[in-house]
Amino acid sequence: MPPPTEVLASAEAVFRREHGRIIASLIRLCGSFDRAEEAMQEAFASALRYWAERGVPDNPAAWITTTAYRKLIDARRRERTRQQKQAFLEQDLAAATSEDIVAAEDLPSDIPDDRLRLIFTCCHPALNREAQVALTLRTLGGLSTEEIARAFLVPEPTLAQRLVRAQRKIHDARIPYEVPSDQALPERRAAVQAVIYLIFNEGYTATAGEALIRRELCAEAIRLGRVLCAIDGEDPEGLGLLALMLLHDSRRQTRVDAAGALVTLEEQDRSLWDRAQIDEGLALVDAALRMRRIGPYQLQAAIAALHAEAATSAETDWLQIAALYGELARIHPSPVVQLNGAVAVGMSEGPGRGLALIDELGTSGELERYHLFHAARADMLRRLGSFEAAAEAYRRALALMANGVERAYLERRLAAL
């Protein structure tokens, strides 16, 4: 009889690793988020009891899947409705009556399509972005309502209502649980990628609070990125997105010091960067670019790759980075992309040229409420020796700053002036 801690650890590992696969197949079978989740929770509860008595099975994910299938059938029998659906479930179960038949390693031949359907359903354009993010993390990521609410700094009841409304809208609007048509796929795929990257960015640089990094959100976004590549591997933007997240995340250990203070890219100890993540990211960038269908995530990943390949800050190829930002601005224009490009120009051609481009961007007023606009402007002024003007720009950035770690960094910069 295994110790309770071993049983619990095994169940938690299966939940984190296989949650998306299992819940997607259950939703396909029963057509309901609520029923699928209830069946899976009951299956995990049964696992804790059964495994404590008889040991953890060789294929714990298969055991959970089969048990959850049975829970759905039992629920259908109790309701004594929708007999056709019940017969379908029973027929499906007949092919998986033992733990050995539904092996975990065999699941990808069927279930990846279920996960693809599920992620497109969660990111349907009829749902707003907040609902898309919450539903994706809840269903595919397996995060609890409390975890998601804590990560995005919203009250748990608010997040719970958001999830309920999203699921109700899917039901009431009869949003199909399916992969979109070939004509609609590119637009819908872009929405899925945007949701995953939004999750990563909130983890990489939290918009508010006292922590700069929320590691669990970064890890979850990377995991979802891997899922997307596994089920839609011919899309170069999916590869680019995963590469971009891996290359950024490779620097995670060096972005704050032992006291929790922000360390800029220029000052980081590059020997501590995660080389395994960098190597994987570089390989993904290369594979994506070879497909010759260039998109925004690939260009951003290529920029991150140039930073990763530079042994020191001084060796960074800022000219190439500025050129890549120029191409990114051409195919995906936005004030933030143009601001990053202006900073790259400032690093390659001199702070005077960078400041001129930043000030030109500022004339539209679009970036006036964006704290990094003022911070970038302050940095260029500091490099030029215009300390009084730099101090004023830092003060404007601080007035808009919500993250405590970033605020402390700007306060140190201001004090140094």
Side-chain angles (χ1 to χ4, degrees):
M1 182 181 299
T5 53
E6 180 183 323
V7 171
L8 183 60
S10 297
E12 288 178 346
V14 173
F15 184 85
R16 286 296 188 197
R17 188 177 62 251
E18 302 292 346
H19 178 279
R21 294 177 186 267
I22 297 171
I23 197 73
S25 67
L26 296 177
I27 291 174
R28 169 175 59 84
L29 292 171
C30 71
S32 166
F33 280 78
D34 290 339
R35 288 178 180 174
E37 190 166 296
E38 183 178 350
M40 189 173 64
Q41 288 175 351
E42 290 180 0
F44 273 98
S46 297
L48 292 176
R49 295 191 299 268
Y50 187 89
W51 297 355
E53 295 175 0
R54 306 194 184 186
V56 178
D58 293 335
N59 295 309
W63 194 100
I64 293 291
T65 303
T66 302
T67 302
Y69 281 12
R70 290 180 176 136
K71 298 292 183 184
L72 282 177
I73 290 173
D74 290 343
R76 290 292 190 213
R77 285 172 176 160
R78 286 194 299 268
E79 293 173 4
R80 297 186 178 280
T81 57
R82 298 175 68 182
Q83 296 298 321
Q84 204 169 22
K85 174 68 83 171
Q86 179 175 321
F88 172 73
L89 285 171
E90 290 175 340
Q91 182 182 15
D92 193 90
L93 181 64
T97 53
S98 72
E99 299 167 8
D100 297 325
I101 293 177
V102 189
E105 57 269 23
D106 294 335
L107 291 175
S109 64
D110 176 44
I111 293 181
D113 286 344
D114 292 327
R115 286 183 295 166
L116 189 56
R117 281 190 285 266
L118 179 56
I119 197 167
F120 278 115
T121 301
C122 291
C123 298
H124 194 279
L127 304 175
N128 63 37
R129 185 50 52 85
E130 291 80 6
Q132 290 174 345
V133 170
L135 203 56
T136 299
L137 287 173
R138 185 74 182 90
T139 53
L140 274 156
L143 274 66
S144 69
T145 303
E146 180 185 2
E147 286 175 313
I148 301 169
R150 186 169 63 247
F152 285 91
L153 302 179
V154 298
E156 187 175 347
T158 300
L159 196 283
Q161 290 174 0
R162 192 174 292 170
L163 285 167
V164 169
R165 284 195 298 268
Q167 292 178 1
R168 185 182 298 135
K169 187 160 192 175
I170 288 173
H171 178 270
D172 294 345
R174 297 187 178 182
I175 292 174
Y177 177 61
E178 64 184 12
V179 177
S181 65
D182 290 344
Q183 293 80 5
L185 187 58
E187 180 184 355
R188 293 281 298 280
R189 182 193 282 130
V192 171
Q193 291 166 346
V195 165
I196 293 174
Y197 195 39
L198 190 152
I199 292 168
F200 178 83
N201 277 331
E202 182 59 30
Y204 190 72
T205 305
T207 54
E210 295 307 312
L212 179 70
I213 305 167
R214 296 192 180 116
R215 291 173 174 80
E216 71 282 0
L217 283 183
C218 291
E220 190 55 41
I222 290 172
R223 195 186 69 79
L224 289 171
R226 291 190 189 283
V227 169
L228 196 58
C229 286
I231 56 188
D232 195 15
E234 295 305 309
D235 173 43
E237 276 291 81
L239 298 177
L241 172 60
L242 179 56
L244 175 61
M245 294 189 294
L246 286 168
L247 290 168
H248 280 325
D249 196 59
S250 69
R251 305 195 293 263
R252 185 198 330 139
Q253 298 299 331
T254 62
R255 293 184 61 228
V256 292
D257 62 19
L262 175 68
V263 181
T264 64
L265 178 62
E266 193 175 6
E267 301 165 330
Q268 288 170 16
D269 182 352
R270 299 180 179 222
S271 68
L272 299 178
W273 287 359
D274 189 322
R275 293 310 310 180
Q277 283 188 308
I278 290 173
D279 290 343
E280 184 182 1
L282 294 177
L284 286 167
V285 172
D286 184 61
L289 294 176
R290 285 178 184 275
M291 294 182 182
R292 299 190 180 280
R293 302 198 307 274
I294 305 300
Y297 292 117
Q298 295 168 71
L299 288 172
Q300 292 176 78
I303 291 168
L306 287 171
H307 285 297
E309 289 173 324
T312 66
S313 176
E315 295 176 45
T316 304
D317 189 348
W318 284 107
L319 274 172
Q320 179 72 357
I321 289 173
L324 287 169
Y325 270 122
E327 179 63 15
L328 181 60
R330 186 185 68 81
I331 68 171
H332 188 69
S334 81
V336 173
V337 168
Q338 291 175 303
L339 174 63
N340 290 336
V343 171
V345 169
M347 297 300 291
S348 60
E349 299 181 23
R353 177 61 179 150
L355 179 63
L357 290 174
I358 292 172
D359 284 343
E360 185 180 335
L361 279 172
T363 59
S364 69
E366 290 183 85
L367 294 172
E368 187 61 30
R369 300 294 301 168
Y370 184 49
H371 67 278
L372 291 181
F373 166 75
H374 298 289
R377 189 170 181 275
D379 188 58
M380 291 297 157
L381 287 164
R382 179 183 64 83
R383 292 174 189 272
L384 286 168
S386 302
F387 299 133
E388 189 173 332
E392 178 57 28
Y394 277 130
R395 291 189 191 98
R396 296 186 72 176
L398 281 165
L400 299 168
M401 184 72 68
N403 182 278
V405 175
E406 288 184 301
R407 168 176 284 279
Y409 171 77
L410 291 186
E411 286 173 343
R412 290 197 304 274
R413 280 290 197 198
L414 179 59
L417 293 178

